[in-house]
Amino acid sequence: LLLSRFLHPAFVDATSPAYKEAMEAWDAPNHQSSDRKSSSSSMFEEEEEYDPDIDDIDEDELENDETPLSKEPQTAEELVKDGEYYDPYQHVAAVMMNITQLNTGRDFLMRLIHSGSSKNKSDNTNHKTSLDSIQENGEHAKGTTTTTTHLQSLLPQLESPNLHRRRGIAGTLKNCCFAKDNQWWLLHVVHLDKSLLLPLAGPEELTIDEKVGLDPDYWLMGPSKVREPDARVRTYLVEALLLLLASGRRARETLRERRMYVIVKLADMVEENEEASERLLECVQYLRRDEDGEAEGSSDRR
């Protein structure tokens, strides 16, 4: 339930601890009007009850307040105050980060969720929990059955305007990279490396040689591309990439073929945080070193 509300962009929960802060962020007339009208309505409905707070209301405020009380639920766009969104479920990102420190939490996020037509649901063969229905390129096999995970639904949160969401999800992805048995799935089905590298890509102009073999999403935005501004988020992302590189030779070869080095190199050139810079350097060393049995300098040609 928390996860579904966390992923809902305009969910507002009046019982949330952050609800009071959001109410205070509204303009004072709206807030005061809501309190007074709710109090007065309760008096008319129950005449025997006496509310002592009514005597404390300033008469001048009653005369000047003409703002109507809206009964419609507030949306995320209406709750904007000084460029910040009212986000009562931002803490769920930190919860996800904490639970993925355990194998149980990682298994929960990466457990396959199957869905399909009612006809297919009656067929027991479509209820297998294996990866047979997923091809190497991430597409589903023929049929109406689809497969997804909670982890894949969290990836768009790396682009959230809320810093707490980005930090929590970046840490969650890093923790999920500790699951070595799922490294192939993370690289070839989820394409996690792209989700991790996109926030690290910046507005730098790439040469033609650097663009060869590189996903166009990294450079199509041109000068308008903004690199992740928070150093902690960048550190989590780089550490996740480092775990993918350290998982095995096949993972490193895949990341070399996808030209990960181009993005990491440019990110390291402008990185000011010492910890993030050290992790970037470790990534470079993994990418540029020669594998056992290969000719010297073979990795430099990728």
Side-chain angles (χ1 to χ4, degrees):
L1 179 61
L2 276 178
L3 186 59
S4 62
R5 293 182 177 183
F6 172 74
L7 296 174
H8 198 295
F11 197 95
V12 177
D13 184 11
T15 63
S16 169
Y19 184 76
K20 182 178 179 180
E21 298 179 3
M23 293 290 290
E24 293 175 352
W26 293 348
D27 53 290
N30 283 343
H31 190 181
Q32 295 171 358
S33 175
S34 301
D35 292 341
R36 289 193 297 273
K37 292 191 177 183
S38 61
S39 300
S40 59
S41 61
S42 61
M43 285 188 59
F44 285 114
E45 294 175 358
E46 302 179 6
E47 296 181 356
E48 296 180 358
E49 295 185 3
Y50 172 71
D51 189 355
D53 295 336
I54 299 179
D55 294 340
D56 297 332
I57 299 178
D58 192 353
E59 295 181 358
D60 295 335
E61 294 181 356
L62 287 174
E63 295 177 358
N64 297 331
D65 186 13
E66 299 178 354
T67 306
L69 177 63
S70 174
K71 296 182 181 180
E72 296 296 329
Q74 300 292 322
T75 62
E77 290 76 9
E78 295 171 333
L79 293 173
V80 176
K81 183 69 175 179
D82 297 332
E84 296 182 359
Y85 284 88
Y86 167 48
D87 194 348
Y89 286 98
Q90 63 183 16
H91 66 281
V92 178
V95 174
M96 292 291 122
M97 181 177 175
N98 288 335
I99 67 172
T100 50
Q101 295 182 33
L102 304 176
N103 290 329
T104 306
R106 293 193 288 266
D107 292 341
F108 166 73
L109 288 184
M110 293 186 283
R111 184 175 61 232
L112 296 179
I113 303 172
H114 297 274
S115 61
S117 63
S118 58
K119 180 179 179 181
N120 289 330
K121 288 181 180 179
S122 62
D123 187 359
N124 293 331
T125 60
N126 288 329
H127 288 274
K128 295 180 180 180
T129 57
S130 64
L131 294 173
D132 296 339
S133 62
I134 300 179
Q135 305 298 325
E136 181 175 349
N137 58 2
E139 297 178 355
H140 299 285
K142 293 182 179 180
T144 57
T145 301
T146 58
T147 308
T148 186
T149 60
H150 293 306
L151 179 67
Q152 290 167 283
S153 65
L154 295 175
L155 296 180
Q157 298 299 321
L158 289 176
E159 301 177 0
S160 171
N162 188 298
L163 175 60
H164 300 285
R165 283 178 176 254
R166 299 200 309 275
R167 281 184 178 178
I169 297 306
T172 299
L173 297 179
K174 169 193 168 183
N175 291 338
C176 288
C177 290
F178 280 103
K180 292 185 177 181
D181 294 339
N182 296 319
Q183 296 292 344
W184 184 94
W185 177 78
L186 291 173
L187 284 174
H188 297 277
V189 178
V190 182
H191 295 282
L192 184 61
D193 57 303
K194 181 177 179 180
S195 299
L196 298 173
L197 286 171
L198 273 175
L200 299 176
E204 295 84 7
E205 184 177 358
L206 303 181
T207 64
I208 297 179
D209 292 337
E210 290 174 333
K211 292 180 181 179
V212 174
L214 187 66
D215 194 310
D217 290 340
Y218 293 119
W219 49 268
L220 277 179
M221 294 184 64
S224 61
K225 179 70 173 70
V226 179
R227 184 175 281 108
E228 169 59 49
D230 184 68
R232 189 180 302 178
V233 175
R234 295 197 304 271
T235 302
Y236 287 154
L237 296 175
V238 177
E239 288 176 345
L241 291 169
L242 190 59
L243 289 170
L244 292 177
L245 289 168
S247 63
R249 177 172 178 173
R250 290 187 176 181
R252 291 191 292 272
E253 290 177 348
T254 299
L255 294 173
R256 290 189 186 110
E257 292 174 358
R258 297 177 183 177
R259 304 300 304 278
M260 170 184 168
Y261 174 72
V262 175
I263 304 300
V264 171
K265 177 187 67 174
L266 294 175
D268 186 37
M269 291 173 61
V270 298
E271 182 57 60
E272 297 179 355
N273 182 267
E274 183 177 355
E275 184 177 2
S277 181
E278 291 178 356
R279 299 295 180 268
L280 286 168
L281 181 58
E282 293 181 39
C283 289
V284 171
Q285 292 175 350
Y286 267 113
L287 291 168
R288 307 307 287 177
R289 77 179 189 184
D290 298 325
E291 300 290 348
D292 295 338
E294 291 188 353
E296 183 177 354
S298 59
S299 61
D300 295 335
R301 294 189 292 269
R302 300 181 182 180

